[in-house]
Structures are given as structure tokens and as C-alpha cells.
Amino acid sequence: MIKVFNKHYRKAIDLLESSLGNEKMEIAEKVLEWFRDLPEEYLISLALFFNEVIDDLGDESLDKISLRVKRKKSEEEEEEEEEEEEEEKKLEDYDKEEEDEEEDEYEEDKEDY
């Protein structure tokens, strides 16, 4: 798998180096799409390897690859929608309780007359 990655990586670098300025962005976007298509486990292994290389070099100016888990945007949006629905339901329940109490008070007042 590393050989396949190296082959594609070298090809991508060659394309970027040989392209004109206005083509570089387009090719860079294609390279990013290719990285997105790689299996997650493979990317994690590469990131760990690069972090080890950075440690071995001892160069403090190099940033390590962050391996924090980021939730997908759609999952976050779903959670927000669920929270909003729960809040709306609570408000509706509260409003219903208020109406019931007001009706009870009205009925009590009505009976008093």
C-alpha cells in the first residue's frame, strides 16, 4: 500500500511542479480529493509516521499532524436539530401546563360566582 501511495504522491508532486500558476489550484484540489478517498486507517498510520519523523528530526518549527477526532458537520447539525426539537417540546409542554392551570383557575373562579 505504501508503494501505491508513493506512486500517486510522486505523480501529484510532479503534476504540481510542472503546472502553470493558474493550474496549480485545480491540481491541488484533485490531490485533496484523492486524500479524502484514502481509507481512514491508512491516513492515521501516515500521520503517526510523519509525527515520529518530526520527533526524530527534533525541529521545533515543524507542526505535528493533529489526530483529534472531528465530528462530521452533518452529525453536529443533527444533534443541534434534536436539541432544538427537545427545547421546543419542553416549551410546548410548559405552555400547555400554563393553559391548563389558567383553565383550572378560570373554572374555579367561575364556580365561585
Side-chain angles (χ1 to χ4, degrees):
M1 191 171 222
I2 290 176
K3 288 180 182 179
V4 173
F5 174 81
N6 286 339
K7 176 184 163 192
H8 289 292
Y9 176 76
R10 188 74 236 148
K11 183 179 177 184
I13 296 298
D14 290 342
L15 282 171
L16 282 170
E17 288 176 349
S18 65
S19 63
L20 300 174
N22 57 351
E23 295 174 335
K24 286 187 181 192
M25 286 302 294
E26 187 177 314
I27 293 172
E29 289 174 4
K30 289 179 183 178
V31 171
L32 287 175
E33 286 179 29
W34 176 70
F35 272 110
R36 287 186 193 112
D37 292 339
L38 288 174
E40 186 175 314
E41 298 84 13
Y42 187 66
L43 291 176
I44 292 170
S45 298
L46 281 173
L48 291 171
F49 171 73
F50 288 133
N51 285 346
E52 286 180 24
V53 169
I54 290 170
D55 284 341
D56 291 344
L57 291 173
D59 188 349
E60 298 296 323
S61 67
L62 297 173
D63 292 333
K64 288 186 177 182
I65 298 171
S66 175
L67 296 174
R68 291 185 194 163
V69 176
K70 293 182 181 178
R71 293 194 297 179
K72 294 182 179 175
K73 199 172 194 176
S74 61
E75 289 177 1
E76 291 176 2
E77 289 174 355
E78 286 178 15
E79 276 189 20
E80 288 177 10
E81 287 176 4
E82 288 175 6
E83 289 174 5
E84 288 175 4
E85 288 174 3
E86 288 176 12
E87 287 180 28
E88 287 176 9
K89 186 175 181 181
K90 287 179 184 177
L91 285 174
E92 288 174 3
D93 290 344
Y94 180 77
D95 288 342
K96 187 175 181 183
E97 288 176 11
E98 288 282 318
E99 288 176 7
D100 290 345
E101 288 177 11
E102 288 176 4
E103 284 180 15
D104 289 344
E105 288 176 9
Y106 178 76
E107 290 297 322
E108 287 176 5
D109 289 343
K110 192 176 179 181
E111 289 175 3
D112 288 343
Y113 288 111

